[in-house]
């Protein structure tokens, strides 16, 4: 059913801008010069997102070849859009009117086997009428008509509500869908369903060894078949001066370390920090960290990118790869300071907000990152073929006036093509509740008959 609050818009991407934005795979870099961030095509002219509710954008090809993505606008409304890679046509729909003005409320997307979309969203600490809920599109490959909004009727106990939905479907478990989020006790939670109607009772996914009130931050990735990778922290770097990075993987009904050692099955949750892989030890270095992304390479070995924060104005991006026996960790590059625009005379409340770094989930030897170059944060593509020891880089944006931050690589893109990347361009970003931002897009050309 299409709700009364829903609107839609259709337009063709202007040909000249589209020609810049669609880059043919394998084309020489000189044929694709970097542009100012503002010169790239809008995926949304009014959109924002955090980096803990994913996937934010997915590729799907069936009758059509399209990108689907979502955002929260400056009024707090929840939006979803499709972008056709053959025609350039974009269609967008408002799923919830003025839901919450907070970039943590951005939706996450799941493509179902028949081509319909399930979209999950929650307020930042949502309770009651703004708790975690989801809608399913009525038709395959269509974002205009949607079923009724359905609340997730399970949560872990506590007053904190819900936030950060991350849905994954595993084909080797007969299509079971797992949903991860931050639950009422301020810790990561998990539930699952076989029909997108009835959900298992929520369970706490991760807890500290002493059951203290720390709040782990999590990133997830899945192959869509039988694995879900989980990278997480002790807590928030604001509160944890030695915030560390950990890893576990769900497979065949149990959570395991990178070497396959079983940690616990689902009935034995939560995972304790001491049971998981310690990827980066903040206690040893005395430098706090924050998680940014996780993926797996062709051997199903995990790769993690995160930021180290030796000083509040000095952020460093790191790349940690499991080599079959141990975690191999290398710095990618300095990232600059935080990006929010601190009002004069005020102390920055979010000094650990880096520009952002994300893996190409189809080839995690490639990362996209945002760092300050000159007067603005710019988007760059970095690549390593020796586990992070050496890198080559390519500018995506350059000479920008506004900050370009929080890149996201489109999930499930064709493996033989350069990935498409989206990011936030900030006309204004003072706080996660005070922003005027756009979502920009740079999508490589997908070859005909792919």
């Amino acid at each position: 059913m299409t709700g009364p609050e829903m609107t839609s818009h259709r337009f063709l991407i202007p040909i000249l801008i589209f020609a810049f934005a669609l880059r043919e795979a394998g084309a020489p870099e000189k044929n694709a010069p970097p542009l100012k961030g503002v010169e790239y095509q809008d995926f949304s002219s009014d959109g924002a997102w955090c980096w803990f509710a994913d996937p934010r954008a997915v590729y799907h090809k069936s009758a059509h070849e399209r990108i689907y993505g979502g955002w929260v606008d400056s009024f707090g409304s929840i939006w979803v859009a499709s972008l056709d890679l053959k025609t350039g046509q974009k269609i967008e729909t408002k799923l919830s009117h003025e839901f919450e003005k907070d970039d943590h409320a951005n939706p996450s997307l799941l493509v179902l086997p028949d081509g319909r979309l399930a979209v999950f969203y929650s307020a930042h600490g949502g309770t009651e009428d703004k708790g975690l809920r989801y809608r399913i599109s009525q038709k395959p490959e269509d974002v205009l008509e949607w079923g009724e909004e359905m609340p997730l009727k399970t949560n872990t106990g506590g007053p904190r509500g819900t936030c950060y939905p991350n849905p994954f479907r595993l084909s080797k478990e007969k299509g079971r869908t797992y949903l991860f989020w931050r639950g009422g006790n301020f810790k990561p939670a998990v539930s699952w369903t076989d029909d997108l109607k009835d959900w298992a009772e929520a369970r706490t996914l991760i807890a500290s060894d002493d059951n203290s009130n720390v709040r782990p931050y999590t990133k997830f990735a899945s192959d869509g078949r039988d694995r879900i990778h989980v990278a997480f922290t002790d807590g928030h770097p604001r509160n944890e001066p030695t915030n560390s990075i950990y890893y576990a993987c769900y497979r065949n009904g149990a959570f395991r370390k990178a070497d396959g050692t079983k940690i616990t099955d689902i009935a034995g949750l939560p995972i304790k920090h001491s049971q998981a892989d310690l990827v980066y030890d903040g206690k040893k270095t005395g430098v706090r960290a924050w998680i940014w992304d996780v993926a797996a390479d062709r051997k199903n070995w995990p790769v993690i990118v995160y930021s180290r924060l030796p000083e509040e104005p000095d952020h460093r991006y790191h790349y940690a790869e499991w080599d079959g026996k141990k975690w191999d960790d290398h710095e990618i590059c300095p990232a600059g300071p935080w990006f929010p625009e601190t009002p004069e005379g005020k102390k920055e409340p979010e000094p650990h907000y880096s520009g952002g770094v994300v893996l190409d989930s189809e080839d995690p030897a490639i990362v996209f990152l945002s760092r300050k170059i000159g007067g603005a944060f710019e988007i760059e593509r970095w690549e390593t073929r020796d586990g992070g020891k050496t890198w080559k880089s390519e500018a995506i944006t350059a000479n920008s006036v506004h900050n370009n931050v929080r890149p996201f690589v489109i999930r499930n893109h064709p493996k033989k093509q350069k990935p498409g990347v989206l990011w936030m361009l900030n006309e204004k970003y003072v706080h996660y509740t005070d922003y005027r931002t756009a979502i920009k897009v740079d999508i490589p050309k997908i070859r005909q008959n792919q």
Side-chain angles (χ1 to χ4, degrees), residues 304-306 316-320 329-335 357-359 366-369 371 380-384 388-393:
I304 290 171
V305 284
Y306 68 97
R316 304 288 177 121
Y317 294 139
H318 272 254
Y319 183 92
D329 192 318
H330 297 278
E331 182 176 306
I332 305 172
C333 65
V357 57
V358 64
L359 294 159
I366 297 169
V367 305
F368 287 81
L369 58 83
R371 65 187 182 110
E380 295 178 326
R381 178 189 185 273
W382 287 60
E383 182 176 345
T384 180
K389 297 182 180 68
T390 60
W391 295 85
K392 63 178 181 179
S393 64

Side-chain angles (χ1 to χ4, degrees), residues 88-105:
Q89 183 185 45
K90 179 185 166 189
I91 304 171
E92 61 183 26
T93 294
K94 186 192 294 186
L95 289 187
S96 184
H97 181 66
E98 296 186 3
F99 182 67
E100 184 185 47
K101 186 180 178 181
D102 188 315
D103 69 18
H104 295 66

Side-chain angles (χ1 to χ4, degrees), residues 133-314:
R133 66 274 322 281
Y134 60 105
R135 299 184 74 168
I136 300 173
S137 60
Q138 296 282 61
K139 300 176 182 178
E141 302 178 87
D142 178 74
V143 298
L144 288 176
E145 297 182 35
W146 293 82
E148 296 286 353
E149 188 176 75
M150 294 179 284
L152 184 72
K153 296 181 180 180
T154 184
N155 194 15
T156 52
R160 299 291 186 172
T162 56
C163 196
Y164 308 138
N166 284 257
F168 301 100
R169 181 182 182 275
L170 298 184
S171 61
K172 289 191 175 181
E173 294 194 12
K174 298 180 180 180
R176 174 166 288 179
T177 296
Y178 288 86
L179 181 64
F180 300 87
W181 71 96
R182 187 171 73 187
N185 59 4
F186 232 25
K187 302 181 190 302
V190 61
S191 179
W192 57 90
T193 178
D194 294 321
D195 58 9
L196 286 172
K197 295 178 182 178
D198 298 317
W199 294 83
E201 183 178 356
R203 301 166 191 240
T204 298
L205 178 67
I206 301 162
S208 61
D209 287 76
D210 60 2
N211 290 314
S212 62
N213 291 323
V214 298
R215 45 172 169 158
Y217 279 74
T218 48
K219 292 294 294 185
F220 302 90
S222 175
D223 61 4
R225 297 185 297 274
D226 64 348
R227 297 170 192 258
I228 301 173
H229 303 274
V230 189
F232 56 98
T233 68
D234 292 300
H236 194 297
R238 182 196 302 119
N239 308 120
E240 309 300 329
T242 60
N243 211 31
S244 300
I245 305 294
Y246 304 84
Y247 169 82
C249 179
Y250 172 79
R251 176 168 52 89
N252 296 331
F255 290 87
R256 303 173 188 275
K257 292 185 174 184
D259 66 4
T261 301
K262 182 178 177 179
I263 299 171
T264 183
D265 56 21
I266 287 180
L269 289 175
I271 299 168
K272 302 293 187 179
H273 285 87
S274 63
Q275 295 176 299
D277 275 341
L278 178 59
V279 178
Y280 166 68
D281 189 350
K283 292 182 175 65
K284 184 176 181 180
T285 64
V287 175
R288 72 192 76 197
W290 214 356
I291 191 64
W292 272 93
D293 204 9
V294 62
D297 65 17
R298 293 177 182 177
K299 296 180 181 178
N300 275 321
W301 290 352
V303 179
I304 290 171
V305 284
Y306 68 97
S307 60
R308 290 191 194 179
L309 306 157
E311 302 289 342
E312 289 184 345
D314 180 15

Side-chain angles (χ1 to χ4, degrees), residues 332-343:
I332 305 172
C333 65
W338 64 81
F339 75 81
E341 302 150 22
T342 313

